[in-house]
Amino acid sequence: MSDAKLHVMDHPLILHKISMLRSKDTNTKDFRELINEIALLIGCEATRDLPVTECSVTTPIAEAAGYHLQHQVCLVPILRAGLGMVDPLLTLIPAAKIGHIGLSRDPATLAPVEYYCKLPPDVAERVVLVLDPMLATGGSAAAAISFLKKHGAKHIKMLNIVGAPEGVKTISEAHPDVDVYLGCLDEKLNDHGYIVPGLGDAGDRLFGTL
Ligand code: PRP
Ligand code: URA
């Protein structure tokens, strides 16, 4: 694996789709579909450097050089909003196992509160892709990554759709070994810990609980 790094996406389709995602006029159905499409595109970038082993494949015509992934993959959505990114990642990596980390932000302190965690027993051997559309203070992502490391995970990547500089700083200081793949780096957090300009509350918009 290469050195930890922040990868901010510049693919025109991601930029276009994030603009639609941000709009307050985007309804729940469209929001869900856009999260799915953007996560698929970010997933392609985040898996670009997965190590492969050479192998041989017999085609109906001849022997061909082929490749297979060296490591299996575990997807770990941070509940709730991270659930919206699972299906597109499974489209890319259908054999991935899935762990779940349930965290919600205390609205007063903005600190993450853990309410559910379940990981596959072989998580330590897998490349782990942590999924959450939003990286605000970075508290939830940092706590999720710490939990994964406590369970032996060594190769961890974080996939977010919208992030704030504060969140990127939190992750790079707490987990300098973790690459972050970010759809868009926004300006700042407001006094309530929301990303500016952001897109509002991702979980509420995804599940229609506004
Ligand atoms: C949101 C979001 C992240 C977290 C980001 O979840 O999906 O998990 O906030 O904020 P942070 O970087 O400051 O920790 P929320 O706690 O609102 O829960 P939800 O997904 O259930 O709505
Ligand atoms: N969580 C969200 O869903 N949106 C933000 O802007 C910050 C945290």
Side-chain angles (χ1 to χ4, degrees), residues 1 12 22 32-33 37 40-41 46 58 72 94 96 100-101 106 114 130-131 134 147 165 181 186 192 205:
M1 300 267 158
R22 288 185 192 281
R32 211 175 271 151
E33 287 174 3
E37 292 163 11
L40 184 86
L41 291 162
T58 309
Q72 293 184 302
H100 293 88
I101 297 184
D106 181 306
E114 181 184 314
V130 183
L131 311 176
M134 308 306 279
F147 181 80
Y181 295 83
D186 274 11
H192 304 288
R205 295 195 65 182

Side-chain angles (χ1 to χ4, degrees), residues 105 134 136 193-195 200-202:
R105 281 202 318 179
M134 308 306 279
Y194 278 88
I195 299 173
D201 188 304

Side-chain angles (χ1 to χ4, degrees), residues 78-81 103-105 132 134-140 201 203:
I78 300 179
L79 308 182
R80 290 176 297 166
L103 297 171
S104 66
R105 281 202 318 179
D132 193 329
M134 308 306 279
L135 182 68
T137 65
S140 303
D201 188 304

Side-chain angles (χ1 to χ4, degrees), residues 4 30 43-45 55 62 81-82 103 120-121 123 145 148-149 169 179 188 204 208:
D30 292 343
C44 291
E45 288 303 315
C55 62
L103 297 171
V123 68
I145 294 166
L148 285 161
K149 288 182 175 175
K169 184 165 180 282
D179 276 20
K188 60 179 182 183
D204 281 343

